[in-house]
């Protein structure tokens, strides 16, 4: 069912015709689109329970299923890409964790017509992007800086005049 989520959102996320205060914040604009919250759980799929089931063959049974698909408390959870290459499954999700990011500030950051701190510094309020290969987390937008810094800085500090750096096979 996960591949059908964009279709479900398109067909069922209909803005209310009733609005409190006349629509948007200016009293004239349309009400905001509803937020779709969803989660996905594998039911009955367990090694030793379902004959022939092998956990590592199902990308939804890895960290993708536990840390993204199975959680209902993200304020934003969007599939950016989900596909299969010749050798692996690739899934990229955009998530807004309510414990680290504020959904109201995120939506304010998207309003290019407003002169707010959030709109001027949208990069501070955006959702995290998480990439999974075969259901295992590989990279995140906000979580890789310490890892990358620990690879780059020793080489940069040991060279007398660093100008360009190439990191090959860093993970």
């Amino acid at each position: 069912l996960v591949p059908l989520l964009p279709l479900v959102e398109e067909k069922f996320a209909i803005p209310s015709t009733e609005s409190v205060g006349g629509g948007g914040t200016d009293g004239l604009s349309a009400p905001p689109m509803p937020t779709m919250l969803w989660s996905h759980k594998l039911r009955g799929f367990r090694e030793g329970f379902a004959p022939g089931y092998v956990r590592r063959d199902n990308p939804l049974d890895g960290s993708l299923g536990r840390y993204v698909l199975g959680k209902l408390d993200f304020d934003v959870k969007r599939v950016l890409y989900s596909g299969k290459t010749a050798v692996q499954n690739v899934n990229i999700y955009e998530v807004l964790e309510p414990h680290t990011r504020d959904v109201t500030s995120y939506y304010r950051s998207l309003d290019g017509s407003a002169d707010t701190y959030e709109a001027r510094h949208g990069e501070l309020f955006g959702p995290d992007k998480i990439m999974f290969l075969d259901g295992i987390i590989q990279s995140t937008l906000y979580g890789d800086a310490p890892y990358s810094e620990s690879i780059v800085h020793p080489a940069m500090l040991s060279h007398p005049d660093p100008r360009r750096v190439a990191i090959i096979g860093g993970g």
Side-chain angles (χ1 to χ4, degrees):
L1 293 175
V2 174
L4 296 176
L5 288 171
L7 179 64
V8 170
E9 186 171 24
E10 175 189 326
K11 299 298 180 190
F12 293 100
I14 301 168
S16 172
T17 56
E18 302 172 10
S19 59
V20 179
T25 55
D26 59 5
L28 302 173
S29 61
M33 289 296 289
T35 300
M36 186 168 99
L37 299 176
W38 58 273
S39 70
H40 179 273
K41 298 279 186 185
L42 291 172
R43 305 266 187 237
F45 292 93
R46 292 188 297 279
E47 287 182 325
F49 179 75
Y53 181 76
V54 179
R55 181 178 180 174
R56 72 176 179 278
D57 292 341
N58 187 349
L60 301 179
D61 204 0
S63 53
L64 172 62
R66 283 191 300 281
Y67 301 122
V68 174
L69 301 181
K71 291 183 78 172
L72 188 59
D73 59 348
F74 289 123
D75 287 330
V76 172
K77 180 169 33 175
R78 278 189 220 107
V79 180
L80 296 180
Y81 178 79
S82 183
K84 185 170 176 61
T85 69
V87 295
Q88 61 199 358
N89 291 297
V90 179
N91 295 283
I92 303 173
Y93 281 82
E94 185 174 61
V95 297
L96 190 68
E97 174 71 55
H99 305 293
T100 59
R101 300 259 190 261
D102 175 48
V103 71
T104 305
S105 296
Y106 167 59
Y107 285 122
R108 273 194 221 130
S109 76
L110 298 176
D111 186 2
S113 64
D115 186 30
T116 63
Y117 181 81
E118 291 91 344
R120 288 189 307 272
H121 303 283
E123 71 279 1
L124 300 176
F125 302 96
D128 198 4
K129 291 179 177 75
I130 307 171
M131 182 178 76
F132 297 87
L133 297 179
D134 290 330
I136 306 299
I137 191 167
Q138 298 295 316
S139 179
T140 68
L141 179 63
Y142 297 125
D144 288 345
Y147 174 75
S148 300
E149 296 283 323
S150 69
I151 292 174
V152 172
H153 283 285
M156 297 293 282
L157 293 172
S158 66
H159 194 282
D161 189 25
R163 293 181 185 262
R164 294 178 11 183
V165 174
I167 300 172
I168 300 170

